[in-house]
Structure formats: C-alpha cells, structure tokens
Amino acid sequence: MMISYDPLFKTLKEKGLRQVDLMRKCELSSATMSKFRKGESVTLNVIARICTYLQVPVEKVVQINYKKDS
C-alpha cells in the first residue's frame, strides 16, 4: 500500500493556493508538510482540517494505491 498526496497538490494548484497558505490556515508544521511530500502517513484529524479548509472531499487530498501481489 502506498499513500499519495498528489491529489492535495493538484487541488492546491486548482485553487491558486500555495503550500505555505495551507500550513498557516490549517496550522500544519513543516514536518507535516514534509510527510506529504514523502508520501508518509498523517493523522485523520490533519486530513479533516485540510478538507474543511479547502471545502473538498477526502479524495481531493489523499489517495491510497494498493500494490497487487504477484
């Protein structure tokens, strides 16, 4: 399983927002932003704050890709 925040970065671009705007409005740390760039997990509370601020469903913030077993 792999977490992707590509939908978040795309949504920010569509809304004309920068990552720093998101950090300030959602009170996110630089460590959390780093986790987004690395595809690491963050809490559901963080995702919920972002969805609320951006007024979008969770699918516009995070995507889970499943690796098929061989």
Side-chain angles (χ1 to χ4, degrees):
M1 173 177 71
M2 189 169 169
I3 298 170
S4 171
Y5 297 102
D6 288 343
L8 170 61
F9 299 120
K10 182 178 177 184
T11 300
L12 288 175
K13 186 175 182 178
E14 288 171 356
K15 292 184 173 276
L17 297 170
R18 300 171 300 156
Q19 291 181 31
V20 69
D21 299 324
L22 187 69
M23 285 178 65
R24 290 180 182 145
K25 295 291 185 176
C26 295
E27 299 179 0
L28 304 175
S29 68
S30 57
T32 298
M33 294 306 295
S34 180
K35 286 182 178 185
F36 289 141
R37 288 187 289 276
K38 294 177 182 176
E40 296 176 357
S41 63
V42 298
T43 68
L44 191 52
N45 286 335
V46 168
I47 300 298
R49 285 199 322 252
I50 292 169
C51 289
T52 300
Y53 168 63
L54 295 175
Q55 293 292 291
V56 297
V58 69
E59 295 85 10
K60 291 282 209 168
V61 175
V62 63
Q63 178 180 358
I64 299 173
N65 299 314
Y66 297 95
K67 182 178 177 183
K68 294 184 179 182
D69 293 332
S70 302

